[in-house]
Amino acid sequence: MKHGNKILSLAILAALSANTLPASAAAPDKVRVVVSFQPGKAAEIHKAAAAAHGAVVHEIFGMDAMALEVPTQALKGLQNNPNVLYVEEDEKRYALALSKQGATGGQSVPYGISMVQADQLSDASAGNRKVCIVDSGIDANHEDLVGNRLTGEWDRGTGWWYTDENHHGSHVAGTIAAVNNALGVVGVNPNKNIQLHIVKVFGADGWAYSSSLTTAVNKCGAAGANVISMSLGGGRPMKTEEKAFSTLAAKNVLSIAAAGNDGTTAVSYPAGYASVVSVGALDANKEWASFSQYNSKVELSAPGVSVLSTVPMGTGAAPSLTVGNAAYTVSEMEGSPKASASAPLANFGLGDKVDGSVSGKICLIQRGTVDFATKVSNCQASGGKGAVVYNNVAGGFGGTLGTTVTAIPSVTASQADGQAMLGQLGQTATVSVAPANYASWDGTSMATPHVSAVAALVWSLHTNCTAAQLRVSLDNSAMDLGTAGRDAKFGFGLVQAKAAHDRINSMGCGK
């Protein structure tokens, strides 16, 4: 998630009252704003937009509000329209995942399942709960998601819920409900009982406007969702968005969102609203993830580092490397083609120039000086059959080729492994990047579905609890980490399914 300070012209600043902000827009002389208006006055707002030579770009479902794109000079008149309550910037919301690493093989249990105690509770009653996933859709035909109780929405901008061009939503869904079927992974609720409702707000680019998010969560409520899971966020609050979440909370819906991945004290929204649970990320050692935003709004923590889950079939990448008789653990060079190559290993130095001596060989390249795309492209231009980029500092890493298209497979390796391979030059190396249906990702995006799924699991066993009471029980039963009591990095601590269940059993709801 990246946020930049917007440079606002004096004309725009003068056009709005002190408690509103204008938006950046597709055209330099236009802005995209959300207008909240008097009940029953939608037709008048349409007329006002047209009169201002603007357009209605989104009508927010379930609310007297819509997004308009209008000329900058029309903002003052819009703000002063008697049918208008307020005008605010239509902020952007982003998917909150970081690095990606493919995986293949038989079924495994991700470390997060036991960390949140999901393996200590039965999900046999989970059919009485519905989790609404607001994200990029899912691959409904995925081998590890098929058979779940799935419903969803069609969206004019993003299409049908059962496809996932961004891959993010499928990863989230797997953490919640990947099936116990001898394939891939298992989710927190693995036995096809939990109800999932999918609302697709992201396309392949992984962002959406707040107005679209507001429509999405209102549709979750209309579909009967008990829990809304949002692995997304943005840098500024929105009145209209906040009102939607407050209304949902009053209707007994529990909303849960990612705290953000900037690693700062900045507050992300919707996680920052009082009616939304903000989720921070931990690693497998229950340590705070350095990318996880930390502030007074963080309420619960959950696994968010190297979380293995589902991605659309065949879209993941599983890298592998052998040199001679040694197999090395390598990471994905994002953008590498799915391919395999075997050839003698050759030292290609820093890979900063074309060198015909590596023709017909696998290039071993040290990280540094030039970008990864240049290194791999130079290897290819030299006649190299594949590339291995090893770290110039301790540890492994993941790289990306960006928009550069290459034809040879490429992977990354740790510094120690790279140095070991320097002693194997001339031996046959096999670099492979195979298609995968699963991937390990980092992010508060990955932590959020753990909490959403645990909330639904515990609630399914205590349907007499309200959403507000369940929230208190989850907070009070969390494993305290870091500074004693609630703190900025961990909130109340690591969410615990069994502990929450036991607490409600012994003390009642909301204790």
Side-chain angles (χ1 to χ4, degrees):
M1 175 179 61
K2 301 294 181 187
H3 315 301
N5 292 326
K6 294 189 171 78
I7 300 174
L8 308 175
S9 71
L10 292 176
I12 295 178
L13 288 171
L16 295 176
S17 62
N19 63 346
T20 59
L21 290 168
S24 57
D29 63 336
K30 290 188 175 182
V31 290
R32 178 167 169 144
V33 293
V34 170
V35 176
S36 177
F37 51 85
Q38 301 284 358
K41 299 298 182 180
E44 283 75 5
I45 303 303
H46 275 266
K47 291 176 184 176
H53 303 289
V56 175
V57 290
H58 183 79
E59 297 196 45
I60 296 177
F61 175 83
M63 299 180 78
D64 293 312
M66 61 181 71
L68 310 182
E69 191 174 279
V70 295
T72 300
Q73 61 268 27
L75 285 172
K76 186 173 182 180
L78 190 61
Q79 180 73 25
N80 293 331
N81 187 307
N83 298 306
V84 171
L85 298 176
Y86 59 82
V87 180
E88 61 180 341
E89 176 176 5
D90 198 359
E91 288 287 341
K92 291 180 179 180
R93 302 304 187 222
Y94 300 86
L96 297 176
L98 295 171
S99 61
K100 308 174 183 182
Q101 175 66 49
T104 58
Q107 181 172 281
S108 63
V109 178
Y111 76 90
I113 301 301
S114 60
M115 261 183 66
V116 301
Q117 300 183 326
D119 55 346
Q120 297 183 44
L121 289 183
S122 168
D123 69 343
S125 299
N128 63 44
R129 297 295 92 179
K130 181 180 286 188
V131 178
C132 189
I133 302 174
V134 180
D135 213 290
S136 60
I138 67 170
D139 178 0
N141 293 317
H142 193 286
E143 63 184 10
D144 224 359
L145 295 174
V146 70
N148 270 301
R149 301 170 66 179
L150 300 172
T151 55
E153 306 276 347
W154 178 84
D155 181 85
R156 184 178 65 182
T158 57
W160 283 107
W161 62 272
Y162 47 74
T163 65
D164 180 8
E165 293 74 23
N166 181 267
H167 310 169
H168 190 267
S170 296
H171 200 279
V172 167
T175 294
I176 295 173
V179 178
N180 185 10
N181 58 1
L183 297 170
V185 294
V186 295
V188 170
N189 296 276
N191 294 304
K192 299 184 283 189
N193 294 316
I194 193 78
Q195 299 180 68
L196 299 181
H197 189 74
I198 313 301
V199 183
K200 185 175 182 176
V201 293
F202 297 139
D205 51 7
W207 70 270
Y209 282 107
S210 171
S211 54
S212 296
L213 173 60
T214 305
T215 281
V217 298
N218 286 336
K219 286 187 174 182
C220 289
N226 306 104
V227 177
I228 301 177
S229 187
M230 297 166 289
S231 292
L232 50 83
R236 291 181 180 176
M238 293 272 302
K239 287 183 183 179
T240 308
E241 192 176 75
E242 183 174 20
K243 180 180 178 182
F245 286 111
S246 296
T247 300
L248 286 163
K251 293 180 178 179
N252 206 33
V253 177
L254 183 61
S255 298
I256 300 170
N261 296 341
D262 285 347
T264 68
T265 59
V267 177
S268 180
Y269 296 92
Y273 301 132
S275 54
V276 179
V277 177
S278 176
V279 180
L282 308 175
D283 65 16
N285 297 315
K286 301 175 187 173
E287 298 288 342
W288 171 72
S290 60
F291 58 77
S292 187
Q293 281 166 231
Y294 56 102
N295 49 61
S296 63
K297 301 294 185 179
V298 174
E299 188 166 342
L300 288 168
S301 297
V305 177
S306 296
V307 174
L308 182 63
S309 189
T310 49
V311 292
M313 295 290 287
T315 63
S320 63
L321 171 67
T322 60
V323 182
N325 295 320
Y328 290 96
T329 298
V330 291
S331 296
E332 176 186 359
M333 181 71 77
E334 190 173 350
S336 169
K338 308 293 196 303
S340 181
S342 293
L345 185 67
N347 187 1
F348 195 45
L350 288 168
D352 54 351
K353 57 184 179 294
V354 174
D355 181 354
S357 68
V358 298
S359 180
K361 300 178 181 178
I362 301 296
C363 301
L364 180 61
I365 313 170
Q366 185 180 25
R367 184 180 186 181
T369 306
V370 296
D371 59 51
F372 301 132
T374 299
K375 292 175 184 290
V376 176
S377 295
N378 283 344
C379 173
Q380 180 175 302
S382 301
K385 300 299 184 182
V388 180
V389 181
Y390 67 93
N391 213 345
N392 55 359
V393 295
F397 68 102
T400 179
L401 299 177
T403 58
T404 300
V405 177
T406 60
I408 61 173
S410 54
V411 299
T412 68
S414 70
Q415 182 183 51
D417 286 347
Q419 290 171 343
M421 283 183 268
L422 286 171
Q424 295 179 283
L425 299 177
Q427 295 184 30
T428 299
T430 299
V431 180
S432 178
V433 181
N437 307 326
Y438 305 86
S440 293
W441 289 9
D442 299 342
T444 52
S445 274
M446 288 53 259
T448 300
H450 281 94
V451 175
S452 302
V454 166
L457 177 60
V458 175
W459 205 355
S460 74
L461 299 169
H462 302 281
T463 55
N464 57 308
C465 296
T466 66
Q469 289 172 332
L470 179 72
R471 182 176 181 177
V472 172
S473 294
L474 291 173
D475 291 346
N476 289 342
S477 60
M479 179 186 293
D480 192 13
L481 299 170
T483 305
R486 185 174 186 175
D487 60 75
K489 289 184 175 179
F490 299 94
F492 288 101
L494 171 62
V495 69
Q496 299 283 269
K498 180 65 161 51
H501 170 62
D502 290 346
R503 187 180 184 91
I504 295 171
N505 272 341
S506 62
M507 303 177 67
C509 300
K511 303 294 186 181

